[in-house]
Amino acid sequence: MSVSIVVNELVAAAGSGRSLVARTPQDSVNLLIGIVTGHYIDSSQAAVITSAQVQRSTSIQQALIISNVLSSLSNTRMSAGRQRIPVGQSGMAGGSSAGSLNVWLNGSSSDVGNNFDESRFSGDVTNAIGGIDYSLNKDLVVGVSLGRDRTKLNTLFNNSGLTSRATMIAPYASYQISDILSVDASLGYADGDADVRYNGTVTGNQGFTRNFAAANLNGNWWFNDLQLSGKLSYINAQEKMKQFTDSASVTTAGAKNRIEQLRLGVQVGYWINGIMPYVSVAAVHDLSAPSVQGINTGSDRDAWTASVGVNFFTQKALTASLSYTTEKGRSNSKNDMWMASLGYRF
C-alpha cells in the first residue's frame, strides 16, 4: 500500500469519527501495520465485534429463559401432561389445587469466543434471573422478572479486554390458546457499565443500555409418556454504547448495535415418575446482526443449537431443571452454556 493510500485511510477514518489516537507505543505500531494491511480495528469497531455474541448470551438468552418458564415449568398444562397434572392441580393426578402465584429462579454460565485471527476473543457470560407471575385465570398469566448479568472478555485481537455488569427488568405475559398451543411475549430493559482495558495500561468505564422484545408460539403434545414440544420465536435486541473517555484521554464515540433473530426449535422428553429427561434442537437465523466492514468476525447468519437436560417435578409445587446447550454453525465461534432453574407455585 502506498503512502498516499495510507494517508487517505487516515483521513477517511478520522472523518468517520473513528478514534485513531495511539494509547501506547505498541498501539502506534499496531495502527500503522493495521492500516497498511487493511486490518486495523479501532475502539469503536472492537465493541461491535463482541456485541453480537454478548447480546446472544444476555438479552436473547434472558428472553428465551422467560419464555421457557412460561411454556414449561410454571404452566401445569404444559409441564406434565393432562393424565398426571390436570388443569388446576399442582400434584400428580389428584393433588391439591395449584396456586395462582409462581416464583422462579434461573442461573446460567456461557463460555463464548471467536477464533478468527483479526477478531479473536474469548470469555464467559453469567446470568442470574428470577421472576414472579400471577395467573389471572386458567389461560392468562402476567409477571415480571429481574436479572443480573456479568460478562468478562479478553479481546486478543487488540491485546485488551472488558468486564461488564448489567441489571435487567422485563415484564411478560402468556396466554393459553388451547391444551396444545400457547403464546407469550416479554419486553426487557437493562442498564450497565463496562470496565475496559487496553494493553494492560490504559483503562476506562463505558456505560450502556440494552433492550429486547420477544414473542413466542409454543406447542405441546403428549403420546403416553412421551412429550413433544415446539417453539417459534422472534427476538429483537439492541445495545446502546455510550461515549466515554479513557485514562489516555482518548474519546470513543457511542454506538448502537442491533440483532434480530428467528428461532424454530423442537424438544422431546420422556416422563419417568416425576423426572423427565429431554433433548432439543433449534434452528437459528439472524435477520440482522452487528458487523465490521472488511474484518472477518464470524458473523454467520445461520446456526443451530443442541440441548440435553432433565426436568424434575414433585407432588408438591416444586419444579427444577438442569441443562447443557451448545451452539454450532457459526464459523470459528463458540457459545456453550450450563443452566439450572427452580420454580415454586403457591
Side-chain angles (χ1 to χ4, degrees), residues 64 67-68 71 184 216-219 229-233 263-265:
L64 291 172
S67 178
N68 288 339
S71 63
D184 64 77
N216 306 275
L217 174 65
N218 311 285
S229 58
K231 184 186 295 289
L232 175 63
S233 304
R263 305 174 71 98
L264 178 62

Side-chain angles (χ1 to χ4, degrees), residues 49-68:
I49 288 174
T50 59
S51 178
Q53 195 72 293
V54 169
Q55 289 192 77
R56 291 186 186 111
S57 300
T58 54
S59 296
I60 290 179
Q61 184 58 40
Q62 290 160 358
L64 291 172
I65 288 170
I66 293 171
S67 178
N68 288 339

Side-chain angles (χ1 to χ4, degrees), residues 106-146:
N106 180 284
S108 64
S109 178
S110 300
D111 185 16
V112 300
N114 183 334
N115 292 326
F116 285 107
D117 288 338
E118 64 262 43
S119 58
R120 185 186 301 269
F121 68 87
S122 64
D124 58 82
V125 181
T126 56
N127 278 291
I129 180 173
I132 182 169
D133 49 66
Y134 185 80
S135 300
L136 297 177
N137 53 50
K138 66 182 181 66
D139 294 321
L140 181 61
V141 174
V142 295
V144 64
S145 65
L146 291 172

Side-chain angles (χ1 to χ4, degrees), residues 305-317:
T305 65
S307 301
V308 58
V310 58
N311 293 325
F312 303 91
F313 304 92
T314 70
Q315 291 189 7
K316 301 297 182 180

Side-chain angles (χ1 to χ4, degrees), residues 178-291:
S178 67
D179 284 344
I180 294 176
L181 297 176
S182 69
V183 292
D184 64 77
S186 60
L187 293 172
Y189 174 83
D191 184 81
D193 67 280
D195 294 324
V196 297
R197 63 187 186 280
Y198 304 99
N199 289 320
T201 58
V202 178
T203 60
N205 184 270
Q206 184 175 29
F208 62 84
T209 61
R210 299 193 198 107
N211 59 75
F212 67 81
N216 306 275
L217 174 65
N218 311 285
N220 181 66
W221 298 266
W222 281 89
F223 306 93
N224 296 319
D225 290 326
L226 187 71
Q227 185 199 42
L228 174 65
S229 58
K231 184 186 295 289
L232 175 63
S233 304
Y234 169 78
I235 306 172
N236 190 323
Q238 182 174 260
E239 183 179 56
K240 297 180 180 179
M241 310 297 294
K242 300 177 182 179
Q243 177 177 299
F244 77 105
T245 301
D246 61 32
S247 60
S249 299
V250 176
T251 297
T252 298
K256 295 181 181 180
N257 300 311
R258 178 169 169 263
I259 184 168
E260 190 177 11
Q261 193 174 92
L262 284 176
R263 305 174 71 98
L264 178 62
V266 294
Q267 177 178 300
V268 178
Y270 192 81
W271 179 271
I272 310 172
N273 296 324
I275 300 176
M276 190 165 70
Y278 68 86
V279 294
S280 66
V281 294
V284 182
H285 176 67
D286 293 340
L287 298 172
S288 63
S291 62

Side-chain angles (χ1 to χ4, degrees), residues 1 9 18 30-42 45 49 117-119 157-158 292-297:
M1 180 180 288
E9 286 288 324
R18 291 166 54 189
N30 293 341
L31 174 60
L32 181 58
I33 294 175
I35 291 176
V36 171
T37 61
H39 293 304
Y40 172 65
I41 299 175
D42 63 35
Q45 292 174 318
I49 288 174
D117 288 338
E118 64 262 43
S119 58
F157 60 85
N158 62 353
V292 179
Q293 185 175 2
I295 301 298
N296 197 347
T297 61

